[in-house]
Amino acid sequence: MVSPDALRTIVGILGNIISFILFLSPMPTFIQIWKRKSVEQYSAVPYLATLINCLVWTLYGLPFIHPGSILVVTINGSGLVIECTYLIIFLIFSDKKKRIKVVLVVLAELVFISILTLLTLTLTHSHKKRSTIVGTICILFNIMMYAAPLAVMKLVITTKSVEFMPFFLSFASLLNGITWTTYALIKFDPFITIPNGLGTFFGVAQLILYATYYKSTQRILAERKTKQVNLSEVVVADEEELKKPCGRGQNGHSTLNNH
């Protein structure tokens, strides 16, 4: 029979895999941004929220805060690298106003994690107290990571289109919440259970919204494509009309009437 610790390790490894997929799920979005050379209506909020989430969870999993949490460190350390890559791409293809906002938020997050680390190590001297302080903050930022797509969900409801709410991000969030909730319940850890339980709820809500507006999205995209085709035909027709030579009489003068 598999021991609870061994089972927890297995689930944790599975959680690492799913979380890694979660971190990679926005990749199609950034490939699209790269091709179009514009961030369009995409928001940096989910990636900024995920960045601070990875920072605090990496701190939580370190041996001097919460020993025996190496699987928490490995996945969130990987997440840091991936999110930084996304934000660099976002900065390259966003306008000056958005770029300044993103840079300021990132700097604020770095200052925050530095202060938190310093205060935790200097003011507390036991793993339990350190875990409680950092774990409580982790709960808040983990909820932010899952709730961040709510801003995009508002856009979906307003436009009746899921074009700017990536399906894979929502689906991976749901799987991630389920897996880490299971991990935390095997050897109860409230700091992991609470945010991931809520993450599961947010994931379900996003998929319901996606299913609700999927058909209307396809209709909107089809109408947009039709308009683009019609516009192209008009432009081509106008170009051909301009290329036609003016009619001329036998004396070489234009036969067009003057009005």
Side-chain angles (χ1 to χ4, degrees):
M1 185 176 180
V2 181
S3 66
D5 287 340
L7 181 60
R8 193 170 191 260
T9 299
I10 294 172
V11 175
I13 293 173
L14 179 62
N16 268 246
I17 295 172
I18 295 176
S19 294
F20 191 72
I21 294 173
L22 172 64
F23 289 134
L24 292 180
S25 61
M27 189 174 291
T29 297
F30 282 89
I31 290 175
Q32 189 176 54
I33 288 174
W34 188 278
K35 288 180 178 179
R36 295 183 179 180
K37 308 299 181 184
S38 172
V39 297
E40 298 181 316
Q41 294 186 54
Y42 289 110
S43 172
V45 172
Y47 313 106
L48 291 168
T50 305
L51 179 65
I52 187 62
N53 176 74
C54 289
L55 285 170
V56 293
W57 276 110
T58 299
L59 177 61
Y60 177 83
L62 292 175
F64 51 81
I65 300 292
H66 194 79
S69 302
I70 187 63
L71 291 174
V72 175
V73 176
T74 54
I75 187 56
N76 286 285
S78 301
L80 282 174
V81 176
I82 295 172
E83 296 307 316
C84 286
T85 303
Y86 290 154
L87 289 172
I88 289 172
I89 294 174
F90 195 93
L91 288 172
I92 292 173
F93 296 110
S94 59
D95 56 47
K96 184 178 180 180
K97 186 177 180 180
K98 288 183 178 179
R99 192 176 295 126
I100 292 174
K101 287 183 178 180
V102 170
V103 171
L104 290 176
V105 173
V106 170
L107 289 176
E109 292 180 351
L110 293 176
V111 170
F112 174 82
I113 198 66
S114 299
I115 294 174
L116 175 62
T117 303
L118 181 63
L119 293 178
T120 302
L121 294 179
T122 56
L123 300 180
T124 58
H125 304 286
S126 69
H127 290 138
K128 184 176 181 180
K129 288 182 179 179
R130 290 174 179 176
S131 296
T132 300
I133 293 172
V134 179
T136 300
I137 294 174
C138 283
I139 289 177
L140 297 177
F141 284 112
N142 217 137
I143 291 173
M144 283 177 58
M145 186 192 76
Y146 286 122
L150 290 176
V152 181
M153 292 171 70
K154 180 181 178 181
L155 178 64
V156 170
I157 295 173
T158 302
T159 62
K160 299 186 185 305
S161 171
V162 294
E163 182 180 2
F164 296 101
M165 187 178 75
F167 171 79
F168 290 109
L169 182 60
S170 301
F171 184 67
S173 294
L174 175 60
L175 292 180
N176 189 65
I178 292 173
T179 304
W180 284 106
T181 299
T182 304
Y183 172 87
L185 290 175
I186 293 174
K187 187 177 180 181
F188 188 64
D189 186 333
F191 302 115
I192 297 179
T193 303
I194 294 173
N196 285 286
L198 289 174
T200 301
F201 171 78
F202 286 133
V204 171
Q206 290 170 43
L207 290 183
I208 291 175
L209 196 61
Y210 195 93
T212 301
Y213 291 106
Y214 178 78
K215 289 185 177 180
S216 61
T217 301
Q218 298 305 307
R219 184 172 63 253
I220 291 172
L221 293 176
E223 290 175 354
R224 184 187 302 168
K225 186 176 181 179
T226 301
K227 289 180 179 178
Q228 291 175 344
V229 171
N230 291 339
L231 180 60
S232 298
E233 291 176 349
V234 171
V235 172
V236 171
D238 288 342
E239 290 178 348
E240 291 179 349
E241 188 66 29
L242 290 173
K243 290 178 181 178
K244 291 181 179 180
C246 294
R248 294 184 179 277
Q250 294 179 352
N251 59 1
H253 295 290
S254 173
T255 58
L256 294 176
N257 293 325
N258 293 322
H259 295 283

